Amino acid sequence: MASDVSHFLHITRKRYRKQHQRLKELYHENSFLVKPDQVIKNRPLIKYWRKKKSLFSKFDERPIFLTDELWYSVTPENIAKFVAKFVKASLPNATKVLDVFCGAGGNTIQLALEFEKVYGVDFSLDHLYCTYKNAESYNVNDHIWLKYGAWEKLAEKGRFAKIGIDFAFGSPPWGGPQYLQEKSYDLETSLKPMGITQLLRSMISVTPNVMLFLPRNSNLEQISQATMQVLGPQGHCRIVYVKDNGFAKGILCMWGPSLVNAGQENEETFENIDPPPPPPSKDTVNYNLDG
Ligand SMILES: C[S@@+](CC[C@H](N)C(=O)[O-])C[C@H]1O[C@@H](n2cnc3c(N)ncnc32)[C@H](O)[C@@H]1O
């Protein structure tokens, strides 16, 4: 379905004139469209180009839009699909969900395939535009509502506190591919735009059901500390290690009783995330997704 420019200009209000104009230009120039014969000049991006269909399975069928930064920061489709299906199974009555750092829409799109309304936030207009265009390629653009702005400011103003968000997801910037150079990733100083305690607090102010996608070498002690600081000594966090084709991709940290108690408590390892998992149940001990 082709959209006209008026369909996504709600990303910026008329009063943000510069951003409004920029969005119109991006649209008219079809900016950031990845062409099939594109020459990737930025060498570190070549490895992402080679596995582009793991980022968006529709790469060869439908137009996909990515900035250089998004090539390495978009959530691969099978992980995003797993997240969306896991949340749907844990919170079957949820209707409104929030993706705090929506980037290229990897998570927003999969959430929109499961839930009625997905709010996406990003402080990059180029990225919001990519989210919208990619959502169009997956025919879910009518389910998404995009908000331009820095999350810390929107949270401080309580922008999403009163609209009844059922679940909030966040894949915050890890600081580029060099995040693995730290033996133990410091979640208070390396995570952007704020440390884990502040980020969790800001998301919990919107909904009790929160999930973050974080580096696999994250300092778990800091997650425990953040949980206690924000939720008190009785607070619980569940950590799921995500592996794809045998490679650890990151961890999913979740808060809120429905997410924490779905399936088994404590830690699990998820192997090869395609095909999507069965709905979590109390009886499930480990999800073996190797097929
Ligand atoms: C790791 S990417 C998210 C990838 C996304 N989940 C996807 O699948 O495409 C992080 C995103 O957060 C955005 N971002 C960084 N700091 C932000 C802030 N303070 N407020 C809102 N968005 C921010 C960046 O522009 C980037 O698009």
Side-chain angles (χ1 to χ4, degrees):
M1 179 175 46
S3 73
D4 66 69
V5 66
S6 63
H7 200 83
F8 63 81
L9 281 177
H10 66 273
I11 292 170
T12 56
R13 296 233 185 99
K14 271 262 159 61
R15 67 188 157 98
Y16 298 122
R17 287 176 69 113
K18 238 170 73 187
Q19 288 87 344
H20 210 69
Q21 189 52 36
R22 166 84 180 145
L23 208 50
K24 273 186 171 175
E25 284 163 16
L26 290 172
Y27 179 82
H28 286 300
E29 288 161 17
N30 220 16
S31 305
F32 306 122
L33 172 67
V34 182
K35 302 194 182 81
D37 54 351
Q38 188 157 324
V39 178
I40 304 287
K41 295 193 189 118
N42 190 344
R43 285 181 71 85
L45 298 186
I46 292 173
K47 72 171 185 183
Y48 298 95
W49 162 264
R50 289 201 182 113
K51 51 182 185 186
K52 61 186 192 299
K53 282 192 76 168
S54 72
L55 305 182
F56 289 101
S57 62
K58 288 194 191 289
F59 238 115
D60 294 339
E61 302 157 41
R62 306 279 289 142
I64 295 296
F65 297 77
L66 291 173
T67 64
D68 275 8
E69 181 186 335
L70 290 172
W71 274 104
Y72 59 79
S73 59
V74 60
T75 306
E77 184 166 301
N78 56 358
I79 296 177
K81 188 180 281 188
F82 170 75
V83 167
K85 290 203 176 288
F86 183 96
V87 178
K88 182 71 181 176
S90 309
L91 297 163
N93 299 321
T95 54
K96 293 180 190 165
V97 308
L98 171 66
D99 184 4
V100 170
F101 306 98
C102 67
N107 293 102
T108 304
I109 289 168
Q110 295 303 321
L111 289 166
L113 287 165
E114 300 293 337
F115 298 97
E116 218 172 286
K117 194 160 189 184
V118 184
Y119 297 86
V121 170
D122 207 292
F123 72 172
S124 157
L125 208 53
D126 293 357
H127 293 183
L128 281 178
Y129 157 86
C130 289
T131 289
Y132 189 86
K133 296 297 281 179
N134 293 332
E136 212 174 39
S137 287
Y138 279 74
N139 285 324
V140 291
N141 50 312
D142 288 344
H143 288 261
I144 66 171
W145 187 88
L146 302 176
K147 178 85 184 152
Y148 168 65
W151 169 247
E152 57 276 30
K153 294 206 176 115
L154 296 172
E156 201 183 297
K157 289 181 185 157
R159 282 287 186 263
F160 289 93
K162 291 189 188 127
I163 52 177
I165 297 286
D166 298 302
F167 166 74
F169 177 81
S171 171
W174 299 353
Q178 60 272 29
Y179 73 91
L180 279 174
Q181 284 165 10
E182 289 180 51
K183 190 164 174 268
S184 169
Y185 183 90
D186 190 325
L187 290 164
E188 292 296 354
T189 58
S190 301
L191 206 60
K192 301 285 176 259
M194 52 183 108
I196 184 153
T197 307
Q198 210 189 331
L199 181 57
L200 177 60
R201 202 185 299 284
S202 69
M203 291 172 77
I204 290 277
S205 72
V206 170
T207 170
N209 304 308
V210 171
M211 190 185 287
L212 290 174
F213 187 43
L214 298 174
R216 63 182 195 238
N217 55 339
S218 291
N219 182 330
L220 301 187
E221 184 53 34
Q222 289 177 322
I223 299 176
S224 166
Q225 288 295 329
T227 303
M228 282 205 285
Q229 295 248 346
V230 177
L231 297 174
Q234 304 304 322
H236 282 288
C237 170
R238 181 187 200 180
I239 296 173
V240 169
Y241 281 82
V242 179
K243 280 188 183 176
D244 191 14
N245 280 325
F247 292 102
K249 295 290 181 185
I251 59 174
L252 289 168
C253 303
M254 48 194 99
W255 294 265
S258 305
L259 296 168
V260 169
N261 298 326
Q264 77 148 29
E265 281 159 322
N266 307 323
E267 293 186 4
E268 288 153 10
T269 300
F270 290 75
E271 298 270 356
N272 195 355
I273 299 134
D274 198 15
S281 82
K282 282 275 176 207
D283 304 322
T284 314
V285 177
N286 274 309
Y287 297 113
N288 181 1
L289 306 175
D290 262 338

